C-alpha cells in the first residue's frame, strides 16, 4: 500500500509537459504568457513536481502591510503555485513582480491573471491531469472531481478580502476536493466529505501566533498543507543560498554568470565510485586546486567532482544510479545550473550565488547531505573531492572515463535472457491508477528515468517501494515477450484492467502508458510501419494529430493496440517492437529525435543490416501527410514496403 508521501513523490517532471500541452491546445492561453514565452519559460524538464498549490486572490499582506507569504518557503516545499485575482485592483502578481520575485514555471510560481475568474485555469489544469493520467473522458464530471480529490493535492490560499465572486470561485475549487484557507474572517465549513478534511478554514492573519509576520506567514502556509493532508520533505543542506527542488530547472544566463565549468570553454566531469568502509571519511570535503576568486567575471575553469561512497548495502551496480543524482542534487541550489552528466557536465554559478558566499566546497556539502538523506539505506559514508587543479582534473578524468566505459559495456551485455527477473514500476499510479511499467534490461521505463539497474537499486533501497522484482517463471512466447510471471504481475499491478502484457509487441497487448512517455510510437496502417513522435515535437504528424492529441490516446493506463508510449532508449534496443520486425518498421520520426539520437540510430541501422536505414525514414520536414509519407518511402526504398503486413 502506498503512503501519501509516495503519492506526492510520484508526480513526474515530464507530466507537466503533458498537462501543459493538452491544456494549451484545448483552452485559450492564459494572460501573461504568449506561446513563445511558454516554451522559453517552460523549461521544466528537470523539475520534479511533487504537489500542487493554487493560490488565488490578491493580498494586502504581501506588499502593502509587508506581511511575507514567503514564496521561497513554498518553493522549497516543491509546490507548484498558480496565482490569480486582485483586491481593489492590486494583484499578488503585480506585487511579486514589483518585489523582484521571478515568476514562471522555472520557479514553480505561475501567474494566471489578475482577475478572480483566472482561477479557472488552475482548475482546468487539474482537470487535464484527470483526463490524461486517470484515463477519464470529458463529461465524466463526478469521476474527474473524485480523481482530483484523491490524487491531486491542491489547495486554495485566499489572501485578502473575499467577495461574492471569490466565494463562488472557491466553491468550485472545493468541489474538486481542494480546501480553501483564508487569511481573513470568513465563515468556516467543517468536514462533510467533499474535501478530505475541513472545506473552508478562516485563519485571520492578526490572530496567528508568531513572533513576526514571517513566522505567521509560515504557519499560514503550514496550515494549508495540513488541511490538504500533504506531506512534504524539505532538505536541510548547509549552503548559503536557498535550496530545494523548485530551483532544479533554474537557468543561469550569461548576463548573470559568475563562473562556469564545462561547456565550450573548459572541462567538467563527475564520477562516483564505491570504496571500503574504512577508506571513506564521512563528511570530508576537499578542494584540490584554486577556487574561482581569481577567475574573471563570466570566465570558466576546469572542474572534477569525485564522490567516494561506502555502505554495507552498497553495490557496484548502484554507482551509475547514484552518480546520476548529482545532477538533481547540485541543481537544487538557487543560482546554480547543472546540465549533463559524466564528462559532459556543465555547471554554472550565478553572480547572486557567488555574492552570497557559494564556493566550490559547497558542491561537496550538498552531495554529502543529499546522499545521506535520499540514499541512507545503502550509503553509510560519503566523501567528496573537488578537483580544480588542471593536472588533477586530467588525471581523474582518465580514471572516470575508464569507469564509464566499463559500465557501458556491462549494461550493453545485460540482456533480457540473462536475468530471471524484471522489475515493476508503479510510481505513476499516484495519477494513473492502473498503469504499471514492466522494466527489463532491454526495455526501460517509458519516462526514460528508470532502467532495470535503477529499479534494482530502488528495490534495495526501499524493499516495499514501487519497484518490485517480477520473477519471470515459465517462458510463454519469447518473440512477443510473454512470461507467466509478467502476465501474472500485469493483472495484479493493473488491478485487473490488463490481463496480459507483451514486452516486445505494439500490436498485441502492448504495455500501457501513464502519460510520462518520452515518445509515442503509433501504427500508420497505409505505410505498414510505425511513426515515432517525440515529446519535444509540436508539429503535426502524418497521423493528423500532434503529440499532445496523441498523448490523450496513448496515456491513461489503457492498452491500445497500435499505440504505445516509450522511453527514447527503448527505440535502440534490439527488443524494440521485435515481434513486428523491430526498427525496420519505423517509417517516420520527429526530426528533433532523428538528429538528437543520430549516432545511436546509425548503430541500430548497421545492426539491422541496412546502414542507410535512417535516410529512408521520413520526418516532419519531408512528410506531413500519409500521401507524402508513402511517396517518400517509395522514393527511398523503405524496407517496410516489403515486410509482412503488421495486422
Ligand atoms: Fe512512471 Fe513507468 Fe517511469 Fe515508473 S518507469 S516513473 S511507472 S513512467
Amino acid at each position: 500500500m502506498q503512503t501519501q508521501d509516495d503519492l506526492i513523490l510520484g508526480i513526474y517532471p515530464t507530466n507537466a509537459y503533458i498537462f501543459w500541452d493538452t491544456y494549451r491546445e484545448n483552452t485559450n492561453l492564459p494572460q501573461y504568457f504568449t506561446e513563445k514565452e511558454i516554451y522559453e519559460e517552460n523549461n521544466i524538464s528537470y523539475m520534479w513536481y511533487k504537489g500542487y498549490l493554487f493560490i488565488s486572490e490578491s493580498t494586502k499582506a504581501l506588499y502593502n502591510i509587508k506581511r511575507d507569504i514567503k514564496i521561497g518557503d513554498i518553493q522549497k516545499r516543491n509546490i507548484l503555485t498558480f496565482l490569480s485575482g486582485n483586491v481593489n485592483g492590486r494583484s499578488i502578481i503585480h506585487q511579486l513582480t514589483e518585489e523582484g520575485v521571478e515568476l514562471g514555471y522555472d520557479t514553480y510560481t505561475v501567474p494566471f491573471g489578475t482577475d478572480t475568474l483566472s482561477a479557472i485555469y488552475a482548475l482546468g489544469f487539474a482537470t487535464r491531469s484527470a483526463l490524461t493520467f486517470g484515463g477519464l473522458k470529458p463529461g465524466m464530471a463526478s469521476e474527474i472531481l473524485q480523481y482530483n480529490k484523491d490524487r491531486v493535492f491542491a489547495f486554495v490560499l485566499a489572501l485578502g478580502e473575499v467577495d461574492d465572486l471569490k466565494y463562488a470561485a472557491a466553491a468550485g475549487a472545493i468541489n474538486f476536493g481542494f480546501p480553501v484557507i483564508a487569511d481573513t474572517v470568513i465563515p468556516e465549513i467543517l468536514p462533510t466529505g467533499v474535501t478530505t478534511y475541513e472545506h473552508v478554514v478562516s485563519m485571520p492573519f492578526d490572530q496567528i501566533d508568531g513572533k513576526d509576520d514571517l513566522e505567521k506567514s509560515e504557519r499560514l502556509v503550514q496550515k494549508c498543507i495540513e488541511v490538504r493532508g500533504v506531506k512534504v520533505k524539505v532538505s536541510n543542506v548547509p549552503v548559503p543560498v536557498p535550496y530545494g527542488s523548485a530551483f532544479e530547472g533554474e537557468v543561469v544566463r550569461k548576463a548573470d554568470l559568475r563562473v562556469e565549468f564545462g561547456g565550450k570553454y573548459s572541462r567538467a566531469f563527475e564520477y562516483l565510485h564505491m570504496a571500503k568502509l574504512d577508506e571513506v571519511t564521512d563528511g570530508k570535503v576537499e578542494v584540490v586546486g584554486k577556487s574561482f576568486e581569481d577567475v574573471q567575471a563570466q570566465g570558466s575553469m576546469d572542474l572534477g567532482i569525485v564522490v567516494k561512497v561506502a555502505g554495507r548495502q552498497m553495490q557496484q551496480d548502484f554507482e551509475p544510479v547514484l552518480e546520476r543524482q548529482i545532477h538533481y542534487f547540485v541543481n537544487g541550489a538557487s543560482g546554480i545550473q547543472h546540465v549533463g552528466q559524466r564528462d559532459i557536465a556543465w555547471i554554472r554559478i550565478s553572480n547572486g550565488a557567488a555574492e552570497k558566499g557559494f564556493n566550490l566546497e559547497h558542491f561537496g556539502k550538498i552531495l554529502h547531505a543529499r546522499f545521506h538523506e535520499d540514499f541512507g539505506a545503502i550509503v553509510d559514508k560519503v566523501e567528496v573531492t573537488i578537483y580544480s587543479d588542471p593536472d588533477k582534473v586530467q588525471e581523474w578524468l582518465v580514471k572516470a572515463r575508464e569507469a564509464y566505459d566499463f559500465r557501458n559495456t556491462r549494461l550493453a551485455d545485460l540482456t533480457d535472457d540473462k536475468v530471471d527477473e524484471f522489475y515493476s514500476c508503479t510510481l505513476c499510479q499516484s495519477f494513473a491508477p492502473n498503469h504499471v511499467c514492466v522494466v527489463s534490461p532491454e526495455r526501460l521505463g517509458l519516462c526514460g528515468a528508470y532502467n532495470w539497474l535503477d529499479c534494482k537499486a530502488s528495490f534495495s533501497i526501499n524493499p516495499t517501494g514501487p519497484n518490485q522484482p517480477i520473477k519471470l517463471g515459465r517462458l510463454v512466447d519469447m518473440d512477443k515477450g510473454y512470461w507467466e510471471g509478467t502476465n501474472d504481475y500485469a493483472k495484479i499491478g493493473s488491478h485487473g484492467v490488463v490481463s496480459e502484457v507483451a514486452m516486445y509487441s505494439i500490436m498485441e497487448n502492448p504495455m500501457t502508458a501513464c502519460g510520462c512517455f518520452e515518445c509515442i510510437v503509433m501504427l500508420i496502417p497505409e505505410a505498414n510501419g510505425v511513426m515515432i513522435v517525440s515529446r519535444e515535437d509540436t508539429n503535426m504528424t502524418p497521423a493528423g494529430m500532434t503529440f499532445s492529441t496523441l498523448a490523450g490516446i496513448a496515456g491513461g493506463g489503457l492498452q491500445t493496440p497500435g499505440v504505445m508510449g516509450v522511453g527514447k532508449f527503448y527505440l535502440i534496443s534490439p527488443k524494440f517492437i521485435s515481434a513486428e520486425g523491430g526498427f525496420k518498421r519505423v517509417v517516420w520520426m520527429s526530426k528533433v529525435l532523428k538528429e538528437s539520437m543520430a549516432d545511436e540510430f546509425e548503430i541500430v541501422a548497421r545492426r539491422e543490416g541496412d546502414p542507410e536505414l535512417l535516410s529512408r525514414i521520413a520526418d516532419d520536414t519531408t512528410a506531413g501527410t500519409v500521401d507524402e509519407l508513402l511517396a517518400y518511402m517509395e522514393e527511398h526504398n523503405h524496407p517496410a514496403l516489403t515486410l509482412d503486413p503488421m495486422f
Side-chain angles (χ1 to χ4, degrees), residues 10 12 14-15 424-429 431 435-439 444-451 455 466-467 511-517:
Y12 267 79
T14 42
N15 303 341
S424 66
C425 188
T426 53
L427 210 49
C428 291
Q429 289 201 346
F431 52 85
H435 166 69
V436 54
C437 275
V438 179
V439 180
L444 81 171
L446 55 88
C447 59
Y450 280 77
N451 66 30
C455 292
N467 302 114
M511 201 179 298
T512 60
C514 48
C516 300
F517 31 76

Side-chain angles (χ1 to χ4, degrees), residues 281-354:
T281 307
D282 187 42
K284 182 176 172 191
V285 177
E286 190 181 3
V287 178
V288 180
K290 292 184 179 167
S291 192
F292 54 83
E293 282 80 15
D294 297 336
V295 177
Q296 63 185 24
Q298 302 183 343
S300 62
M301 65 188 291
D302 290 344
L303 191 78
I305 299 178
V306 177
V307 185
K308 197 160 58 160
V309 299
R312 286 185 182 80
Q313 306 299 323
M314 181 66 194
Q315 298 177 24
Q316 203 177 8
D317 282 350
F318 302 161
E319 286 179 349
V321 179
L322 297 187
E323 188 179 281
R324 228 177 44 217
Q325 307 306 315
I326 295 174
H327 166 76
Y328 298 103
F329 292 168
V330 170
N331 250 336
S334 173
I336 311 298
Q337 174 188 318
H338 184 290
V339 177
Q341 71 285 317
R342 290 189 169 184
D343 55 353
I344 54 167
W346 179 28
I347 306 171
R348 286 183 152 192
I349 297 178
S350 71
N351 284 319

Side-chain angles (χ1 to χ4, degrees), residues 213-366:
D213 283 350
L214 205 65
E215 200 171 294
K216 290 179 178 193
S217 302
E218 282 172 359
R219 291 198 174 151
L220 180 60
V221 172
Q222 188 54 44
K223 182 72 176 174
C224 298
I225 289 167
E226 277 167 31
V227 173
R228 186 59 181 103
V230 179
K231 289 180 190 159
V232 286
K233 203 167 160 186
V234 180
S235 299
N236 192 10
V237 176
V239 286
V241 294
Y243 187 90
S245 302
F247 304 106
E248 279 176 12
E250 195 181 9
V251 174
V252 175
R253 301 190 195 284
K254 185 89 177 165
D256 192 31
L257 174 64
R258 171 62 189 87
V259 63
E260 67 182 338
F261 315 93
K264 267 191 210 162
Y265 305 108
S266 59
R267 298 170 298 179
F269 73 92
E270 49 212 23
Y271 169 44
L272 180 143
H273 64 102
M274 66 177 288
K276 292 191 181 129
L277 274 163
D278 58 3
E279 293 170 351
V280 181
T281 307
D282 187 42
K284 182 176 172 191
V285 177
E286 190 181 3
V287 178
V288 180
K290 292 184 179 167
S291 192
F292 54 83
E293 282 80 15
D294 297 336
V295 177
Q296 63 185 24
Q298 302 183 343
S300 62
M301 65 188 291
D302 290 344
L303 191 78
I305 299 178
V306 177
V307 185
K308 197 160 58 160
V309 299
R312 286 185 182 80
Q313 306 299 323
M314 181 66 194
Q315 298 177 24
Q316 203 177 8
D317 282 350
F318 302 161
E319 286 179 349
V321 179
L322 297 187
E323 188 179 281
R324 228 177 44 217
Q325 307 306 315
I326 295 174
H327 166 76
Y328 298 103
F329 292 168
V330 170
N331 250 336
S334 173
I336 311 298
Q337 174 188 318
H338 184 290
V339 177
Q341 71 285 317
R342 290 189 169 184
D343 55 353
I344 54 167
W346 179 28
I347 306 171
R348 286 183 152 192
I349 297 178
S350 71
N351 284 319
E355 279 160 19
K356 285 185 181 133
F358 192 96
N359 59 35
L360 297 184
E361 192 186 3
H362 289 118
F363 289 127
K365 298 272 185 204
I366 291 171

